[in-house]
Amino acid sequence: MDFSLMQRVFPFFVEAALVTIEITVLALILGLAAASLAAAAKMSKSAILRTIGTVYVSLFRGTPCLIQLFVLYFGGPQIGINLEPFAAGVIGLGLNIGAYMAESIRGALVAVDRGQTEAARTIGFSRFQTLRKVVLPQAARLMIRPLGVNTVALLKGSALVSTISVVELTYTAQRFIGSTYKPFEIFGVAALLYMIMVYAVARVVDLLDKRFAIV
Amino acid sequence: MSTQRPMVEVRGARKSFGAVEVLKGIGLSVDRGQIVAIIGPSGSGKSTLLRSINHLESLDSGEVWLDGVQVNQKLHGHAFERHINKVRQQMGMVFQHFNLFPHLTVIENISMGPIILKGMTKSDAHALAHSLLSKVGLADKIDAYPSRLSGGQKQRVAIARALAMQPKVMLFDEATSALDPELVDEVNAVMKQLAAEHMTMLIVTHEMRFAGEVADRVLFMDGGVIVEEGPPGDMFRAPQKDRTRSFLKKYLSA
């Protein structure tokens, strides 16, 4: 094994990992926003909104993320959507993970005991007040773990944007193969960096879980 | 008979869940300060009746009135939402499983309603909560979270939370059914204290002894109808209907 090669490429890979983090964070923000809207739509009283929510979730969970990225990046220009690779990557990953996160959010909301809603309503709280003051604080705790799992999936799934030429960790690794012919070392370093990032996410999730624990 | 309007009135209440009709045209009137116990076997419709008074269940037909205001008015959307939120503030409800808010301390559970819905200042609401907690014997638990309380303590906090809205009537839905036997008395004692203060109460219960001690009137429900009603003394000593007799025999001998 060529350790000196691994050492030499490491700084470049760290820089590329920063791009991976950037994409992941932006897609996470977009995903959470899309997920909140989709979860609200799916739980709405309006049949139209429920349908929109369901279609969004089934569409993005029912097709490969790679195909979604291709449709957006390569197919986009045909319908007048011209996106830079980076933007297409963030939007594609964000909309994809948003569909999974919508289910995590909805799952947490419906997992809060019905008696909580009933108690709040009998005191005289409106639907919105009940959601805001009683259901959401309890659901927030229940959604930390599933959303953490989604975030790890997003982080690892961000490797897919290398196929639409976003220069992130996986793309950088592939580029080094051509000049070194040492895929074991090269992809090994990339894998190590992914693992460190996943570990960091897991730690943050643990901290949030403790922070929001209900005694 | 007094001519004052009843505090709670139910007329011709019907309600079905799927093909099962659980309320078959119930009528009921409770005067101010009166205490009515509703007894009957599981599935008799007694909880559904109580829940429909608070509109947790909406009736298929019939009317519910609270102190001269119709609870289940034919309003739509936001108009009904506003109406029912106002009406519910005047009714306290206590559940079998307490339903305290686990993410809030005892005092926050109690003061939240007055602060948000009545615009009470935090310090006034906390003073109110404090006095209610003293009343139910839990002044020392003010900053505890619900998970640290026993079942009996939770239910007493739940009663204090309902009282904090200064309701016109209190609805108890099997308030002691989920409690260990040795914890039942502490909750019953609080309810008796409310009775002594002439709180209007509807109590759905399985405890015949308690119903006999506290209620002015007992309703026996079975199969979605009120089979028999009367003062507890008469009802327990000399029930008129066979169904009442066989039900009471099971309970009073147990």
Side-chain angles (χ1 to χ4, degrees), chain A residues 115-116 118-119 121-127 129 133-134 137-138 214-215, chain B residues 51 54 81 85 88-89 91 99-103 112 116-117 145 147 161:
Chain A
Q116 293 290 309
E118 288 192 347
R121 296 308 307 271
T122 58
I123 292 170
F125 291 119
S126 69
R127 262 177 229 287
Q129 287 166 333
K133 301 283 180 182
V134 175
Q138 297 180 56
I214 291 170
V215 244
Chain B
R51 287 164 60 82
N54 201 295
E81 172 86 8
N85 293 341
R88 279 175 171 155
Q89 291 182 32
M91 288 191 262
N99 297 343
L100 291 179
F101 305 132
H103 58 299
M112 181 183 177
I116 296 174
L117 298 170
Y145 279 91
S147 58
R161 180 176 68 176

PDB file of all heavy atoms in Angstrom, chain A residues 115-116 118-119 121-127 129 133-134 137-138 214-215, chain B residues 51 54 81 85 88-89 91 99-103 112 116-117 145 147 161:
ATOM      1  N   GLY A 115     -54.132  11.759  22.896  1.00  0.00           N
ATOM      2  CA  GLY A 115     -54.628  12.359  24.132  1.00  0.00           C
ATOM      3  C   GLY A 115     -54.042  13.741  24.386  1.00  0.00           C
ATOM      4  O   GLY A 115     -54.683  14.588  25.002  1.00  0.00           O
ATOM      5  N   GLN A 116     -52.834  13.974  23.896  1.00  0.00           N
ATOM      6  CA  GLN A 116     -52.202  15.280  24.050  1.00  0.00           C
ATOM      7  C   GLN A 116     -52.987  16.351  23.298  1.00  0.00           C
ATOM      8  O   GLN A 116     -53.232  17.438  23.811  1.00  0.00           O
ATOM      9  CB  GLN A 116     -50.760  15.225  23.521  1.00  0.00           C
ATOM     10  CG  GLN A 116     -49.856  14.354  24.356  1.00  0.00           C
ATOM     11  CD  GLN A 116     -49.576  14.977  25.706  1.00  0.00           C
ATOM     12  OE1 GLN A 116     -49.188  16.135  25.794  1.00  0.00           O
ATOM     13  NE2 GLN A 116     -49.790  14.227  26.762  1.00  0.00           N
ATOM     14  N   GLU A 118     -56.123  16.085  22.370  1.00  0.00           N
ATOM     15  CA  GLU A 118     -57.442  16.211  22.987  1.00  0.00           C
ATOM     16  C   GLU A 118     -57.382  17.090  24.229  1.00  0.00           C
ATOM     17  O   GLU A 118     -58.239  17.961  24.423  1.00  0.00           O
ATOM     18  CB  GLU A 118     -57.993  14.826  23.346  1.00  0.00           C
ATOM     19  CG  GLU A 118     -58.405  14.030  22.125  1.00  0.00           C
ATOM     20  CD  GLU A 118     -59.218  12.798  22.479  1.00  0.00           C
ATOM     21  OE1 GLU A 118     -59.255  12.426  23.663  1.00  0.00           O
ATOM     22  OE2 GLU A 118     -59.816  12.220  21.552  1.00  0.00           O
ATOM     23  N   ALA A 119     -56.358  16.863  25.062  1.00  0.00           N
ATOM     24  CA  ALA A 119     -56.252  17.652  26.290  1.00  0.00           C
ATOM     25  C   ALA A 119     -56.096  19.134  25.954  1.00  0.00           C
ATOM     26  O   ALA A 119     -56.733  19.992  26.553  1.00  0.00           O
ATOM     27  CB  ALA A 119     -55.075  17.166  27.132  1.00  0.00           C
ATOM     28  N   ARG A 121     -56.996  20.700  23.178  1.00  0.00           N
ATOM     29  CA  ARG A 121     -58.226  21.234  22.583  1.00  0.00           C
ATOM     30  C   ARG A 121     -59.300  21.472  23.637  1.00  0.00           C
ATOM     31  O   ARG A 121     -60.047  22.439  23.564  1.00  0.00           O
ATOM     32  CB  ARG A 121     -58.756  20.296  21.482  1.00  0.00           C
ATOM     33  CG  ARG A 121     -57.861  20.114  20.269  1.00  0.00           C
ATOM     34  CD  ARG A 121     -57.392  21.394  19.620  1.00  0.00           C
ATOM     35  NE  ARG A 121     -58.449  22.327  19.277  1.00  0.00           N
ATOM     36  CZ  ARG A 121     -59.110  22.358  18.127  1.00  0.00           C
ATOM     37  NH1 ARG A 121     -58.812  21.496  17.185  1.00  0.00           N
ATOM     38  NH2 ARG A 121     -60.046  23.247  17.900  1.00  0.00           N
ATOM     39  N   THR A 122     -59.398  20.563  24.647  1.00  0.00           N
ATOM     40  CA  THR A 122     -60.448  20.761  25.655  1.00  0.00           C
ATOM     41  C   THR A 122     -60.148  21.968  26.550  1.00  0.00           C
ATOM     42  O   THR A 122     -61.054  22.542  27.131  1.00  0.00           O
ATOM     43  CB  THR A 122     -60.644  19.526  26.559  1.00  0.00           C
ATOM     44  OG1 THR A 122     -59.421  19.211  27.195  1.00  0.00           O
ATOM     45  CG2 THR A 122     -61.127  18.332  25.763  1.00  0.00           C
ATOM     46  N   ILE A 123     -58.879  22.331  26.662  1.00  0.00           N
ATOM     47  CA  ILE A 123     -58.575  23.556  27.415  1.00  0.00           C
ATOM     48  C   ILE A 123     -59.063  24.775  26.615  1.00  0.00           C
ATOM     49  O   ILE A 123     -59.428  25.797  27.182  1.00  0.00           O
ATOM     50  CB  ILE A 123     -57.059  23.659  27.704  1.00  0.00           C
ATOM     51  CG1 ILE A 123     -56.656  22.561  28.687  1.00  0.00           C
ATOM     52  CG2 ILE A 123     -56.688  25.028  28.263  1.00  0.00           C
ATOM     53  CD1 ILE A 123     -55.160  22.403  28.872  1.00  0.00           C
ATOM     54  N   GLY A 124     -59.100  24.639  25.303  1.00  0.00           N
ATOM     55  CA  GLY A 124     -59.592  25.725  24.456  1.00  0.00           C
ATOM     56  C   GLY A 124     -58.577  26.205  23.442  1.00  0.00           C
ATOM     57  O   GLY A 124     -58.809  27.183  22.735  1.00  0.00           O
ATOM     58  N   PHE A 125     -57.430  25.511  23.362  1.00  0.00           N
ATOM     59  CA  PHE A 125     -56.417  25.900  22.379  1.00  0.00           C
ATOM     60  C   PHE A 125     -56.902  25.612  20.968  1.00  0.00           C
ATOM     61  O   PHE A 125     -57.556  24.600  20.725  1.00  0.00           O
ATOM     62  CB  PHE A 125     -55.104  25.158  22.630  1.00  0.00           C
ATOM     63  CG  PHE A 125     -54.396  25.582  23.882  1.00  0.00           C
ATOM     64  CD1 PHE A 125     -54.156  24.693  24.906  1.00  0.00           C
ATOM     65  CD2 PHE A 125     -53.981  26.891  24.037  1.00  0.00           C
ATOM     66  CE1 PHE A 125     -53.517  25.091  26.069  1.00  0.00           C
ATOM     67  CE2 PHE A 125     -53.337  27.301  25.194  1.00  0.00           C
ATOM     68  CZ  PHE A 125     -53.114  26.401  26.211  1.00  0.00           C
ATOM     69  N   SER A 126     -56.535  26.486  20.042  1.00  0.00           N
ATOM     70  CA  SER A 126     -56.876  26.275  18.636  1.00  0.00           C
ATOM     71  C   SER A 126     -55.984  25.163  18.084  1.00  0.00           C
ATOM     72  O   SER A 126     -55.037  24.732  18.725  1.00  0.00           O
ATOM     73  CB  SER A 126     -56.636  27.560  17.852  1.00  0.00           C
ATOM     74  OG  SER A 126     -55.250  27.816  17.781  1.00  0.00           O
ATOM     75  N   ARG A 127     -56.337  24.732  16.884  1.00  0.00           N
ATOM     76  CA  ARG A 127     -55.506  23.728  16.208  1.00  0.00           C
ATOM     77  C   ARG A 127     -54.056  24.163  16.147  1.00  0.00           C
ATOM     78  O   ARG A 127     -53.133  23.395  16.409  1.00  0.00           O
ATOM     79  CB  ARG A 127     -55.988  23.583  14.755  1.00  0.00           C
ATOM     80  CG  ARG A 127     -56.893  22.447  14.501  1.00  0.00           C
ATOM     81  CD  ARG A 127     -57.333  22.490  13.026  1.00  0.00           C
ATOM     82  NE  ARG A 127     -58.772  22.350  12.933  1.00  0.00           N
ATOM     83  CZ  ARG A 127     -59.403  21.208  13.142  1.00  0.00           C
ATOM     84  NH1 ARG A 127     -58.738  20.121  13.422  1.00  0.00           N
ATOM     85  NH2 ARG A 127     -60.716  21.139  13.057  1.00  0.00           N
ATOM     86  N   GLN A 129     -52.419  26.547  17.915  1.00  0.00           N
ATOM     87  CA  GLN A 129     -51.793  26.626  19.243  1.00  0.00           C
ATOM     88  C   GLN A 129     -51.438  25.236  19.763  1.00  0.00           C
ATOM     89  O   GLN A 129     -50.392  25.037  20.375  1.00  0.00           O
ATOM     90  CB  GLN A 129     -52.741  27.323  20.232  1.00  0.00           C
ATOM     91  CG  GLN A 129     -52.847  28.820  20.009  1.00  0.00           C
ATOM     92  CD  GLN A 129     -54.020  29.435  20.752  1.00  0.00           C
ATOM     93  OE1 GLN A 129     -55.027  28.777  21.026  1.00  0.00           O
ATOM     94  NE2 GLN A 129     -53.910  30.719  21.072  1.00  0.00           N
ATOM     95  N   LYS A 133     -47.628  24.512  20.606  1.00  0.00           N
ATOM     96  CA  LYS A 133     -47.240  24.453  22.013  1.00  0.00           C
ATOM     97  C   LYS A 133     -47.206  23.046  22.592  1.00  0.00           C
ATOM     98  O   LYS A 133     -46.558  22.810  23.604  1.00  0.00           O
ATOM     99  CB  LYS A 133     -48.239  25.276  22.859  1.00  0.00           C
ATOM    100  CG  LYS A 133     -48.333  26.731  22.481  1.00  0.00           C
ATOM    101  CD  LYS A 133     -47.147  27.475  23.010  1.00  0.00           C
ATOM    102  CE  LYS A 133     -47.221  28.941  22.632  1.00  0.00           C
ATOM    103  NZ  LYS A 133     -46.024  29.655  23.103  1.00  0.00           N
ATOM    104  N   VAL A 134     -47.950  22.140  21.993  1.00  0.00           N
ATOM    105  CA  VAL A 134     -48.073  20.813  22.603  1.00  0.00           C
ATOM    106  C   VAL A 134     -47.501  19.704  21.713  1.00  0.00           C
ATOM    107  O   VAL A 134     -46.665  18.922  22.145  1.00  0.00           O
ATOM    108  CB  VAL A 134     -49.557  20.508  22.948  1.00  0.00           C
ATOM    109  CG1 VAL A 134     -49.702  19.086  23.478  1.00  0.00           C
ATOM    110  CG2 VAL A 134     -50.070  21.510  23.975  1.00  0.00           C
ATOM    111  N   PRO A 137     -43.381  20.424  20.136  1.00  0.00           N
ATOM    112  CA  PRO A 137     -42.261  20.218  21.064  1.00  0.00           C
ATOM    113  C   PRO A 137     -42.018  18.745  21.359  1.00  0.00           C
ATOM    114  O   PRO A 137     -40.883  18.334  21.574  1.00  0.00           O
ATOM    115  CB  PRO A 137     -42.711  20.958  22.338  1.00  0.00           C
ATOM    116  CG  PRO A 137     -43.713  21.953  21.883  1.00  0.00           C
ATOM    117  CD  PRO A 137     -44.395  21.343  20.697  1.00  0.00           C
ATOM    118  N   GLN A 138     -43.081  17.952  21.376  1.00  0.00           N
ATOM    119  CA  GLN A 138     -42.910  16.522  21.638  1.00  0.00           C
ATOM    120  C   GLN A 138     -42.468  15.781  20.382  1.00  0.00           C
ATOM    121  O   GLN A 138     -41.673  14.847  20.444  1.00  0.00           O
ATOM    122  CB  GLN A 138     -44.214  15.917  22.168  1.00  0.00           C
ATOM    123  CG  GLN A 138     -44.625  16.523  23.501  1.00  0.00           C
ATOM    124  CD  GLN A 138     -45.917  15.923  24.031  1.00  0.00           C
ATOM    125  OE1 GLN A 138     -46.038  14.720  24.193  1.00  0.00           O
ATOM    126  NE2 GLN A 138     -46.899  16.764  24.285  1.00  0.00           N
ATOM    127  N   ILE A 214     -36.990  14.601  27.011  1.00  0.00           N
ATOM    128  CA  ILE A 214     -38.015  14.964  27.981  1.00  0.00           C
ATOM    129  C   ILE A 214     -37.738  14.150  29.235  1.00  0.00           C
ATOM    130  O   ILE A 214     -37.665  12.934  29.177  1.00  0.00           O
ATOM    131  CB  ILE A 214     -39.419  14.650  27.426  1.00  0.00           C
ATOM    132  CG1 ILE A 214     -39.732  15.598  26.272  1.00  0.00           C
ATOM    133  CG2 ILE A 214     -40.458  14.788  28.510  1.00  0.00           C
ATOM    134  CD1 ILE A 214     -40.979  15.223  25.512  1.00  0.00           C
ATOM    135  N   VAL A 215     -37.522  14.867  30.331  1.00  0.00           N
ATOM    136  CA  VAL A 215     -37.122  14.144  31.551  1.00  0.00           C
ATOM    137  C   VAL A 215     -38.189  13.171  32.017  1.00  0.00           C
ATOM    138  O   VAL A 215     -39.358  13.439  31.890  1.00  0.00           O
ATOM    139  CB  VAL A 215     -36.847  15.122  32.715  1.00  0.00           C
ATOM    140  CG1 VAL A 215     -35.395  15.024  33.080  1.00  0.00           C
ATOM    141  CG2 VAL A 215     -37.210  16.536  32.366  1.00  0.00           C
TER     142      VAL A 215
ATOM    143  N   ARG B  51     -67.835  12.911  25.978  1.00  0.00           N
ATOM    144  CA  ARG B  51     -66.941  13.528  24.999  1.00  0.00           C
ATOM    145  C   ARG B  51     -67.709  14.401  24.002  1.00  0.00           C
ATOM    146  O   ARG B  51     -67.174  15.381  23.487  1.00  0.00           O
ATOM    147  CB  ARG B  51     -66.146  12.447  24.249  1.00  0.00           C
ATOM    148  CG  ARG B  51     -65.058  11.808  25.114  1.00  0.00           C
ATOM    149  CD  ARG B  51     -64.529  10.498  24.521  1.00  0.00           C
ATOM    150  NE  ARG B  51     -63.954  10.690  23.198  1.00  0.00           N
ATOM    151  CZ  ARG B  51     -62.722  11.126  22.978  1.00  0.00           C
ATOM    152  NH1 ARG B  51     -61.927  11.385  23.986  1.00  0.00           N
ATOM    153  NH2 ARG B  51     -62.268  11.288  21.754  1.00  0.00           N
ATOM    154  N   ASN B  54     -68.254  17.969  25.110  1.00  0.00           N
ATOM    155  CA  ASN B  54     -67.096  18.820  24.847  1.00  0.00           C
ATOM    156  C   ASN B  54     -66.765  18.908  23.362  1.00  0.00           C
ATOM    157  O   ASN B  54     -65.778  19.499  22.945  1.00  0.00           O
ATOM    158  CB  ASN B  54     -65.899  18.235  25.590  1.00  0.00           C
ATOM    159  CG  ASN B  54     -64.825  19.248  25.814  1.00  0.00           C
ATOM    160  OD1 ASN B  54     -64.238  19.728  24.849  1.00  0.00           O
ATOM    161  ND2 ASN B  54     -64.579  19.605  27.039  1.00  0.00           N
ATOM    162  N   GLU B  81     -64.530  26.932  14.571  1.00  0.00           N
ATOM    163  CA  GLU B  81     -63.282  26.786  15.335  1.00  0.00           C
ATOM    164  C   GLU B  81     -63.210  27.843  16.449  1.00  0.00           C
ATOM    165  O   GLU B  81     -62.920  27.540  17.596  1.00  0.00           O
ATOM    166  CB  GLU B  81     -62.089  26.891  14.359  1.00  0.00           C
ATOM    167  CG  GLU B  81     -60.722  26.957  15.004  1.00  0.00           C
ATOM    168  CD  GLU B  81     -60.095  25.593  15.321  1.00  0.00           C
ATOM    169  OE1 GLU B  81     -60.657  24.566  14.899  1.00  0.00           O
ATOM    170  OE2 GLU B  81     -59.067  25.575  16.014  1.00  0.00           O
ATOM    171  N   ASN B  85     -63.568  26.906  20.474  1.00  0.00           N
ATOM    172  CA  ASN B  85     -62.447  27.216  21.369  1.00  0.00           C
ATOM    173  C   ASN B  85     -62.913  28.042  22.563  1.00  0.00           C
ATOM    174  O   ASN B  85     -62.457  27.842  23.683  1.00  0.00           O
ATOM    175  CB  ASN B  85     -61.335  27.949  20.612  1.00  0.00           C
ATOM    176  CG  ASN B  85     -60.672  27.062  19.573  1.00  0.00           C
ATOM    177  OD1 ASN B  85     -60.784  25.835  19.632  1.00  0.00           O
ATOM    178  ND2 ASN B  85     -60.004  27.673  18.605  1.00  0.00           N
ATOM    179  N   ARG B  88     -65.077  25.661  24.839  1.00  0.00           N
ATOM    180  CA  ARG B  88     -64.272  24.673  25.570  1.00  0.00           C
ATOM    181  C   ARG B  88     -63.523  25.290  26.751  1.00  0.00           C
ATOM    182  O   ARG B  88     -63.217  24.610  27.724  1.00  0.00           O
ATOM    183  CB  ARG B  88     -63.273  24.005  24.625  1.00  0.00           C
ATOM    184  CG  ARG B  88     -63.908  22.898  23.802  1.00  0.00           C
ATOM    185  CD  ARG B  88     -62.922  22.355  22.822  1.00  0.00           C
ATOM    186  NE  ARG B  88     -63.407  21.160  22.151  1.00  0.00           N
ATOM    187  CZ  ARG B  88     -62.980  20.785  20.947  1.00  0.00           C
ATOM    188  NH1 ARG B  88     -62.103  21.521  20.305  1.00  0.00           N
ATOM    189  NH2 ARG B  88     -63.446  19.682  20.394  1.00  0.00           N
ATOM    190  N   GLN B  89     -63.223  26.585  26.642  1.00  0.00           N
ATOM    191  CA  GLN B  89     -62.546  27.237  27.763  1.00  0.00           C
ATOM    192  C   GLN B  89     -63.418  27.236  29.008  1.00  0.00           C
ATOM    193  O   GLN B  89     -62.933  27.411  30.111  1.00  0.00           O
ATOM    194  CB  GLN B  89     -62.187  28.685  27.389  1.00  0.00           C
ATOM    195  CG  GLN B  89     -61.102  28.758  26.329  1.00  0.00           C
ATOM    196  CD  GLN B  89     -60.732  30.186  25.997  1.00  0.00           C
ATOM    197  OE1 GLN B  89     -60.780  31.062  26.853  1.00  0.00           O
ATOM    198  NE2 GLN B  89     -60.364  30.424  24.754  1.00  0.00           N
ATOM    199  N   MET B  91     -65.332  24.670  29.893  1.00  0.00           N
ATOM    200  CA  MET B  91     -65.540  23.304  30.369  1.00  0.00           C
ATOM    201  C   MET B  91     -64.198  22.695  30.701  1.00  0.00           C
ATOM    202  O   MET B  91     -63.289  22.711  29.877  1.00  0.00           O
ATOM    203  CB  MET B  91     -66.193  22.455  29.271  1.00  0.00           C
ATOM    204  CG  MET B  91     -67.634  22.779  29.004  1.00  0.00           C
ATOM    205  SD  MET B  91     -68.373  21.525  27.944  1.00  0.00           S
ATOM    206  CE  MET B  91     -68.253  22.342  26.356  1.00  0.00           C
ATOM    207  N   ASN B  99     -53.189  12.768  30.442  1.00  0.00           N
ATOM    208  CA  ASN B  99     -52.805  13.626  29.319  1.00  0.00           C
ATOM    209  C   ASN B  99     -52.150  14.934  29.749  1.00  0.00           C
ATOM    210  O   ASN B  99     -52.378  15.980  29.153  1.00  0.00           O
ATOM    211  CB  ASN B  99     -54.018  13.931  28.434  1.00  0.00           C
ATOM    212  CG  ASN B  99     -54.588  12.680  27.789  1.00  0.00           C
ATOM    213  OD1 ASN B  99     -53.921  11.657  27.735  1.00  0.00           O
ATOM    214  ND2 ASN B  99     -55.806  12.751  27.312  1.00  0.00           N
ATOM    215  N   LEU B 100     -51.316  14.846  30.774  1.00  0.00           N
ATOM    216  CA  LEU B 100     -50.497  16.023  31.096  1.00  0.00           C
ATOM    217  C   LEU B 100     -49.482  16.206  29.979  1.00  0.00           C
ATOM    218  O   LEU B 100     -49.128  15.253  29.297  1.00  0.00           O
ATOM    219  CB  LEU B 100     -49.775  15.806  32.427  1.00  0.00           C
ATOM    220  CG  LEU B 100     -50.660  15.787  33.667  1.00  0.00           C
ATOM    221  CD1 LEU B 100     -49.809  15.538  34.906  1.00  0.00           C
ATOM    222  CD2 LEU B 100     -51.438  17.094  33.821  1.00  0.00           C
ATOM    223  N   PHE B 101     -49.011  17.444  29.808  1.00  0.00           N
ATOM    224  CA  PHE B 101     -48.027  17.702  28.762  1.00  0.00           C
ATOM    225  C   PHE B 101     -46.638  17.346  29.305  1.00  0.00           C
ATOM    226  O   PHE B 101     -46.137  18.026  30.204  1.00  0.00           O
ATOM    227  CB  PHE B 101     -48.097  19.164  28.323  1.00  0.00           C
ATOM    228  CG  PHE B 101     -49.484  19.573  27.891  1.00  0.00           C
ATOM    229  CD1 PHE B 101     -50.072  20.742  28.351  1.00  0.00           C
ATOM    230  CD2 PHE B 101     -50.221  18.768  27.013  1.00  0.00           C
ATOM    231  CE1 PHE B 101     -51.346  21.111  27.959  1.00  0.00           C
ATOM    232  CE2 PHE B 101     -51.502  19.131  26.614  1.00  0.00           C
ATOM    233  CZ  PHE B 101     -52.065  20.299  27.087  1.00  0.00           C
ATOM    234  N   PRO B 102     -46.014  16.291  28.787  1.00  0.00           N
ATOM    235  CA  PRO B 102     -44.798  15.770  29.409  1.00  0.00           C
ATOM    236  C   PRO B 102     -43.584  16.690  29.268  1.00  0.00           C
ATOM    237  O   PRO B 102     -42.631  16.560  30.011  1.00  0.00           O
ATOM    238  CB  PRO B 102     -44.558  14.449  28.668  1.00  0.00           C
ATOM    239  CG  PRO B 102     -45.255  14.601  27.365  1.00  0.00           C
ATOM    240  CD  PRO B 102     -46.433  15.502  27.617  1.00  0.00           C
ATOM    241  N   HIS B 103     -43.649  17.622  28.294  1.00  0.00           N
ATOM    242  CA  HIS B 103     -42.487  18.490  28.071  1.00  0.00           C
ATOM    243  C   HIS B 103     -42.556  19.745  28.926  1.00  0.00           C
ATOM    244  O   HIS B 103     -41.670  20.592  28.848  1.00  0.00           O
ATOM    245  CB  HIS B 103     -42.399  18.874  26.594  1.00  0.00           C
ATOM    246  CG  HIS B 103     -43.617  19.576  26.078  1.00  0.00           C
ATOM    247  ND1 HIS B 103     -44.868  19.002  26.076  1.00  0.00           N
ATOM    248  CD2 HIS B 103     -43.789  20.803  25.562  1.00  0.00           C
ATOM    249  CE1 HIS B 103     -45.748  19.846  25.577  1.00  0.00           C
ATOM    250  NE2 HIS B 103     -45.114  20.954  25.257  1.00  0.00           N
ATOM    251  N   MET B 112     -50.380  27.483  31.504  1.00  0.00           N
ATOM    252  CA  MET B 112     -50.344  27.689  30.058  1.00  0.00           C
ATOM    253  C   MET B 112     -51.686  28.179  29.490  1.00  0.00           C
ATOM    254  O   MET B 112     -51.731  29.130  28.704  1.00  0.00           O
ATOM    255  CB  MET B 112     -49.966  26.355  29.432  1.00  0.00           C
ATOM    256  CG  MET B 112     -49.846  26.352  27.953  1.00  0.00           C
ATOM    257  SD  MET B 112     -49.488  24.627  27.509  1.00  0.00           S
ATOM    258  CE  MET B 112     -49.469  24.777  25.764  1.00  0.00           C
ATOM    259  N   ILE B 116     -52.054  31.913  27.765  1.00  0.00           N
ATOM    260  CA  ILE B 116     -52.246  32.037  26.326  1.00  0.00           C
ATOM    261  C   ILE B 116     -53.682  32.423  25.967  1.00  0.00           C
ATOM    262  O   ILE B 116     -53.908  33.241  25.086  1.00  0.00           O
ATOM    263  CB  ILE B 116     -51.857  30.717  25.621  1.00  0.00           C
ATOM    264  CG1 ILE B 116     -50.361  30.452  25.814  1.00  0.00           C
ATOM    265  CG2 ILE B 116     -52.209  30.767  24.137  1.00  0.00           C
ATOM    266  CD1 ILE B 116     -49.896  29.121  25.290  1.00  0.00           C
ATOM    267  N   LEU B 117     -54.642  31.826  26.670  1.00  0.00           N
ATOM    268  CA  LEU B 117     -56.034  32.019  26.247  1.00  0.00           C
ATOM    269  C   LEU B 117     -56.729  33.171  26.961  1.00  0.00           C
ATOM    270  O   LEU B 117     -57.651  33.768  26.427  1.00  0.00           O
ATOM    271  CB  LEU B 117     -56.830  30.726  26.467  1.00  0.00           C
ATOM    272  CG  LEU B 117     -56.316  29.535  25.647  1.00  0.00           C
ATOM    273  CD1 LEU B 117     -56.990  28.246  26.090  1.00  0.00           C
ATOM    274  CD2 LEU B 117     -56.543  29.775  24.155  1.00  0.00           C
ATOM    275  N   TYR B 145     -41.523  17.571  36.591  1.00  0.00           N
ATOM    276  CA  TYR B 145     -42.101  17.160  35.311  1.00  0.00           C
ATOM    277  C   TYR B 145     -43.080  16.014  35.580  1.00  0.00           C
ATOM    278  O   TYR B 145     -42.903  15.251  36.538  1.00  0.00           O
ATOM    279  CB  TYR B 145     -41.001  16.713  34.347  1.00  0.00           C
ATOM    280  CG  TYR B 145     -40.315  17.887  33.681  1.00  0.00           C
ATOM    281  CD1 TYR B 145     -39.191  18.475  34.241  1.00  0.00           C
ATOM    282  CD2 TYR B 145     -40.833  18.417  32.504  1.00  0.00           C
ATOM    283  CE1 TYR B 145     -38.578  19.565  33.640  1.00  0.00           C
ATOM    284  CE2 TYR B 145     -40.223  19.506  31.895  1.00  0.00           C
ATOM    285  CZ  TYR B 145     -39.101  20.075  32.469  1.00  0.00           C
ATOM    286  OH  TYR B 145     -38.507  21.154  31.879  1.00  0.00           O
ATOM    287  N   SER B 147     -43.461  13.144  34.454  1.00  0.00           N
ATOM    288  CA  SER B 147     -42.932  11.783  34.555  1.00  0.00           C
ATOM    289  C   SER B 147     -42.451  11.451  35.966  1.00  0.00           C
ATOM    290  O   SER B 147     -42.248  10.290  36.292  1.00  0.00           O
ATOM    291  CB  SER B 147     -41.773  11.602  33.572  1.00  0.00           C
ATOM    292  OG  SER B 147     -40.770  12.543  33.849  1.00  0.00           O
ATOM    293  N   ARG B 161     -55.173  21.745  36.364  1.00  0.00           N
ATOM    294  CA  ARG B 161     -55.026  22.367  35.047  1.00  0.00           C
ATOM    295  C   ARG B 161     -56.393  22.739  34.469  1.00  0.00           C
ATOM    296  O   ARG B 161     -56.562  23.823  33.901  1.00  0.00           O
ATOM    297  CB  ARG B 161     -54.308  21.405  34.099  1.00  0.00           C
ATOM    298  CG  ARG B 161     -54.116  21.954  32.701  1.00  0.00           C
ATOM    299  CD  ARG B 161     -53.305  21.009  31.828  1.00  0.00           C
ATOM    300  NE  ARG B 161     -54.042  19.777  31.528  1.00  0.00           N
ATOM    301  CZ  ARG B 161     -53.574  18.819  30.725  1.00  0.00           C
ATOM    302  NH1 ARG B 161     -52.381  18.929  30.169  1.00  0.00           N
ATOM    303  NH2 ARG B 161     -54.295  17.740  30.503  1.00  0.00           N
TER     304      ARG B 161
END
